[in-house]
Every structure is written in structure tokens, then in C-alpha cells.
Amino acid sequence: MAWFKRDNPPMARGAEHKVKVPEGLWTKCVSCNETIYTKDIESNLNVCPKCGHHYRISTKKRIELLIDEGTFTEFDAGMVSVDFLEFKDSKSYQDRIDQALAKGGSKDAIVCGSGKIDGTPVQLCVFDFSFMGGSMGSVVGEKITRGIERALEQGTPCIIVSASGGARMQESILSLMQMAKTSAALAKLREAGLPFVSILTDPTTGGVTASFAMLGDVNMAEPKALIGFAGPRVIEQTIRQKLPQGFQRSEYLLDHGMVDVIVERSKMKAQLSSILKMLYKAA
Amino acid sequence: MALQQSYLDFEKPLAELDKKIQELLAFSTEGVDLSAEVANLEEKAERMRQEMFANLSRWQTAQVARHINRPFTLDYLSLIFTEFVELHGDRNFGDDHAIVGGLARLDGEPVMVIGHQKGRDTKEKVFRNFGMPNPEGYRKALRLMEMAERFKLPIITFVDTPGAFPGIGAEERGQAEAIARNLREMSRLTVPIIVVITGEGGSGGALAIAVGDRILMLQHSVYAVISPEGCAAILWSDGTKGAQAAEALKLTAKDIKDLEVIDEIVPEPAGGAHRDHEAMAKNLHEALSRNLKELKAIPAEELIEQRYQKFRKMSRFAE
């Protein structure tokens, strides 16, 4: 028998970790645990003003952040995925597509268009993680490839902002082939001497990392983004070892020579603009 | 080469028949003539085998594709090619034993052959890391492919891997970058590339040596974006639902051909490639020679553009 008896159950922990991007009035930061006025995070580009933790931001905000006001033209906005394999797990792929579409945001996991960055014309592709985890199927691969081909035709640089769990399983072999297709298009861009900047944000994994995202002339990452080929859980299960501190985070990749530079969100446009102006002279 | 016969679960009735035949054969050596019965049983077994392999489920096909006795890259190298000289190392970090490659002759003509390599016994399996390459494997493959380009040698690759190795070192040394670079560079190589999916075409780890002008799949091989078990673990939250995942992934040679991702299915001998390496090698040899002859007639520039368009078309969407 215990000497001291606990009347109340121990306080539940971990629930606060589930609080994600600001919904309520106050937000407890997942990184520093400070309680912060939600509007303060939002007005700070979804970055915690106390500790600098980068929350995900919408494609719309990302485009506003990078592209000169009024210069963005979207392409292929109406392209949608089809359930050509009639793929079904607990739900059919078609149901998942419909559900994602019902949110009323992007029509697939990427938004592509042209615009200017401090006057430099670019083709820009921005992943939408809120659409099926930013997974890459035929639509994502096709829109990226068209984006790269437009850059080729117009002789401009290309920029891809990644946030993706990888290839979309529901399109099986064809989603795998998007890796080859996009990388082949980048090979042409490279031969034409046009810059490609890959911006890696949280999270960038799987088939997206193992194709265009790692092929930047310059690979830029946001702080502490998860970036890797295999997911941490898969690795842990395979090797049955604890993973090192900070494993697969931007800083870790920088240390191991896989990204060129880590840039805070607020400085992203200025940094990008400066790199583009040094690499690229408009014809 | 005498391989220990090994049966898959679904081959059990076949295994029993084979055992009975063996028993009769052993018995008949003692002066009793049972050849009629043996012949009868052998015919029955053969019919059963043909029927079984003509109607494999996708999950059964995945098991055949992983069969321990299935011919691996080095088997094909000794059965189809001559004068193989294995070339080792990526010149950066090490030599990955999960990918082998080197110079060899096909019908007397020099070619570069590269492929995943699995092991048959435990020691060899570990040595080959179960056919799961690290980044240095893909970098070795690229080094050999670039060499082939310099010396104008066609490239033939054999794909048979569960996937690229998911380990700490692999991540640190840039598994993703190594795969990505191969995809980009293979799309621009100026020599013909023939890809053969011989067993398991496991995701990015397979694709990293599978960008080519002709893509062939052996009849009972599989090719998918993720292994059935991996897919089941994620979508069914249950890694044992591989059979359902295999059905959903549509990963057989016929499925992939229907999606126009591959050019040709190479037929396997009755009962699968693992039953008769020589017969398998003969079928594959014919397909390789024929395709290579066609590709050699295409000028380099045209070849690259055709390769680009080939992959460019691989997608299904609505707009």
C-alpha cells in the first residue's frame, strides 16, 4: 500500500501539442510553449514572435510574400485529379479528392503561375500542404512540368516551394513517374542555363525530395523544416535505433551539405531576389 | 546450378505433388517400374503449375517477384552476357554491394550493365543489404552510365529492389539527392538505355536506375510507388494488409502495361523465372537483342527527345 495516495488523475499532457496553426484567440506555441496572441503570429507571417518557429502558411500568403504585388498570373488552375485506378482503402480515392475539393481552396496540391520578384520575371510553383498532404500525383507533376517548360519558352528562372509528404499512393505507378518527368524537365532548364531555385519548407519528404526538390541550383530551406527521403518513423522501424537530435531538420541538412542556405521567412524574398539577380540576366 | 527448391505458400498443392513424384522415383529404383505413374503425376503437376501461374493474384505475383530463387542481376550477367568485368565504387565514399555494374558483351558487342543485386543465403543477403542501395550505389550507377556515354556504349539496367535503404547514413549522405540526380542525368544520356524490371520495382529506389528508352517487365515482376506492406501500414494502419494493398496498387506487369508506362512484357517459363533460369535468360536475351537493335538505329538527338516525350506523357488528369 502506498503512503501517499493521489486523489486526482495526473494532469493530461500532450494535448497542447495538437494545437496547430492559430484558430482561437490565443495560441500556445508548439516550440516555445509561450501563450501568444494569435493575431501576433499571423501578422508575423505565421512565425512565432517569441521563438521564431515557422508555422505553415497558405499558398496565397506564400505567393504574396514572394511575388511583386499585382504581377501573379495563375496557370492550369482548373486541373483536377482523377481516380483512374479506382483505388480504395477505407475510402475511395475519388471520395478523398471530392473531400479535398470541398474545402474550397486549391484544386490540387499545387498552385503554379508566373510573376515578378523585385522585377525579375519567374515561374513559380507553390505546394499546398492542406490538399492531401501536398502529395504528388499526375496533376502536381504535370503542373510543375508545364511550369518548367514555360520557364524554358520564356527564358526565365523557375522556383518551386515544396511542402509535401511525397508521391500520392492512390496513383501508384503514375505518381512515381512524375519524379522522372519533372526531373527530366529540369534537365532541359539546366542545359538552357536558366536558374532553378528549390525552396524546401516543412515538411518535404519522399518522392518530392528525391526529385526536383533536391535539384536546385540553389536549395534554400526554412528553419527547422523536416526534409528527408524516408520518413523518420520508417527509419526508426528499419534500423531499430533512436534517431539523432535534430535529424532531418534543415540545420542537419545544412551540416551534411544537402542545402545551400537556411533563410527565415521574412528574409526569403530579399534573399531570393538577390540570388536571381546574380544568376540571371533577362534577355 | 542446383538451387534448393523452395515453395511459396500458395504453391503448397504443387509442393505435395512434387514430393509424391520424388517418392515414387526413389521407390522405382528398387526394381519396380512406376514410370507410368510418375509420368502421369508429372503431367498433372505441370498442368497445375500452368493454371496456377496463369491466374496469380496481385499479391501472389508480388511474392513470386520476391522469390528467393528468382534470377538476380549477376545470374543474368552470366547467362546472357560474356566477358563481364565488374566495376566497383562511386569514387566518393565507397562501394555499394546492393548495386552491381560493369562492362560486358551482349551478342559480342560491348555494353554497360547495371543492376540491383540481392542475396540468396543469409550471409549474402546481409552483404547485399537485401538489395536496398545507399546513395553511393546510385552514384556508382551514375558514374558507370556517364562512362558508357563517353565511350558510346548502350546501357542495360536490371531493377530488383524493395526500395532505397532508409537509414541514418543514407539520409546524411543524400539518398534523395542521389536518386534525383540520376533521374535528371539519365533523361539526357546520349546512348540507348534499356531498363528491365526483373523482380521488385520498389519506388524511387527502383526508378533511380529505371529511366530509359525501352522499359521491359518480366511477366511476374511488380512495379509500384510503395511496397504493398508500406502502403498497408499507411492507408490501412496495418502492415499485414499487404494483399489488399497489392490489389489497390495495380502493380503487375499487365497493370503497368495498361497504363502505358512500360513497352513490353517478357514472358516467364511455366511456374516462374525461378524454376528455370536458362529459359528465362533465353527469353530476356531475345528481347534485349531486338530492342537494342532498334534503338541503335535512332540518332542520339532524336533518342533523347523521344525519351523525354515518353515520360512526359505519363499522367492521367482532367482539365
Side-chain angles (χ1 to χ4, degrees), chain B:
Chain B
M1 183 176 24
L3 288 169
Q4 175 91 40
Q5 209 47 266
S6 149
Y7 295 91
L8 297 166
D9 277 350
F10 67 86
E11 288 180 300
K12 223 173 189 173
L14 202 58
E16 275 162 19
L17 261 185
D18 281 351
K19 199 171 151 218
K20 221 178 262 174
I21 293 170
Q22 290 308 317
E23 278 167 8
L24 284 183
L25 281 174
F27 197 65
S28 61
T29 51
E30 291 156 26
V32 193
D33 184 21
L34 292 168
S35 57
E37 283 83 349
V38 170
N40 189 10
L41 280 181
E42 272 176 345
E43 195 187 308
K44 197 173 162 198
E46 189 52 36
R47 237 179 314 150
M48 187 187 275
R49 183 169 296 139
Q50 289 197 359
E51 215 164 278
M52 201 176 263
F53 276 77
N55 299 299
L56 291 179
S57 73
R58 293 190 172 93
W59 178 236
Q60 287 169 340
T61 306
Q63 289 168 304
V64 175
R66 294 172 185 166
H67 200 288
I68 195 76
N69 288 341
R70 205 166 166 81
F72 302 139
T73 300
L74 289 175
D75 298 316
Y76 291 120
L77 269 159
S78 65
L79 290 167
I80 300 174
F81 301 84
T82 53
E83 264 188 77
F84 174 54
V85 184
E86 186 172 354
L87 303 173
H88 294 271
D90 71 342
R91 298 292 189 273
N92 275 304
F93 180 81
D95 184 40
D96 191 333
H97 305 129
I99 288 187
V100 295
L103 295 161
R105 286 182 189 273
L106 176 69
D107 307 324
E109 295 293 321
V111 292
M112 185 67 81
V113 182
I114 296 161
H116 297 102
Q117 181 65 34
K118 291 178 176 173
R120 269 196 193 99
D121 59 39
T122 308
K123 200 174 152 204
E124 180 81 1
K125 279 182 188 166
V126 170
F127 180 69
R128 299 294 178 187
N129 199 29
F130 302 88
M132 293 186 283
N134 276 285
E136 43 279 13
Y138 296 115
R139 291 180 180 134
K140 167 168 73 178
L142 184 59
R143 178 176 79 85
L144 298 184
M145 290 190 271
E146 285 172 343
M147 186 199 300
E149 183 178 47
R150 275 196 305 284
F151 297 98
K152 305 208 164 22
L153 305 180
I155 297 165
I156 295 167
T157 71
F158 294 116
V159 176
D160 186 14
T161 179
F165 185 62
I168 294 175
E171 294 286 323
E172 287 178 341
R173 297 193 296 278
Q175 187 73 287
E177 192 273 347
I179 294 171
R181 180 186 295 252
N182 280 17
L183 302 182
R184 184 183 70 200
E185 298 306 317
M186 287 184 88
S187 77
R188 306 308 281 172
L189 290 172
T190 53
V191 292
I193 308 171
I194 302 177
V195 175
V196 188
I197 316 290
T198 58
E200 279 181 281
S203 195
L207 186 63
I209 58 165
V211 176
D213 305 297
R214 289 279 197 282
I215 306 170
L216 322 181
M217 271 181 87
L218 302 196
Q219 190 183 350
H220 303 307
S221 65
V222 294
Y223 199 5
V225 69
I226 187 169
S227 72
E229 290 88 347
C231 179
I234 296 171
L235 291 181
W236 279 264
S237 308
D238 180 356
T240 63
K241 296 254 160 68
Q244 272 129 295
E247 282 304 314
L249 284 168
K250 309 262 193 312
L251 39 60
T252 66
K254 188 182 170 302
D255 293 328
I256 310 286
K257 179 92 175 15
D258 288 345
L259 288 166
E260 295 168 346
V261 168
I262 58 163
D263 302 280
E264 186 177 331
I265 298 173
V266 184
E268 296 193 17
H274 58 279
R275 297 222 160 241
D276 192 342
H277 287 196
E278 281 77 15
M280 183 68 250
K282 194 163 162 271
N283 292 354
L284 185 53
H285 190 159
E286 184 280 321
L288 288 175
S289 303
R290 172 168 40 80
N291 279 288
L292 189 56
K293 198 172 156 218
E294 286 168 20
L295 291 174
K296 274 183 162 172
I298 305 170
E301 231 166 87
E302 217 172 291
L303 192 70
I304 296 178
E305 189 51 27
Q306 278 181 18
R307 194 184 305 148
Y308 183 80
Q309 293 305 337
K310 179 182 181 65
F311 284 86
R312 182 72 188 80
K313 280 189 230 137
M314 292 180 190
S315 48
R316 301 257 171 118
F317 53 84
E319 60 180 339

Side-chain angles (χ1 to χ4, degrees), chain A residues 79-80 84-85 87 138 142 145-146 149 172 174 176 178 181 188 190-191 210-211 228-230 248 252, chain B residues 171-174 180 184 188 207 223 225 235 248-250 305 308 311-312 314-319:
Chain A
M79 199 188 291
V80 289
F84 54 87
L85 292 179
F87 192 102
S138 293
E142 181 67 21
T145 306
R146 287 187 191 181
E149 287 174 344
S172 196
L174 282 189
L176 185 68
Q178 304 312 309
K181 185 167 111 181
K188 282 193 169 184
R190 186 180 166 90
E191 278 181 8
S211 56
F229 173 63
Q248 293 185 316
Y252 197 87
Chain B
E171 294 286 323
E172 287 178 341
R173 297 193 296 278
R184 184 183 70 200
R188 306 308 281 172
L207 186 63
Y223 199 5
V225 69
L235 291 181
L249 284 168
K250 309 262 193 312
E305 189 51 27
Y308 183 80
F311 284 86
R312 182 72 188 80
M314 292 180 190
S315 48
R316 301 257 171 118
F317 53 84
E319 60 180 339

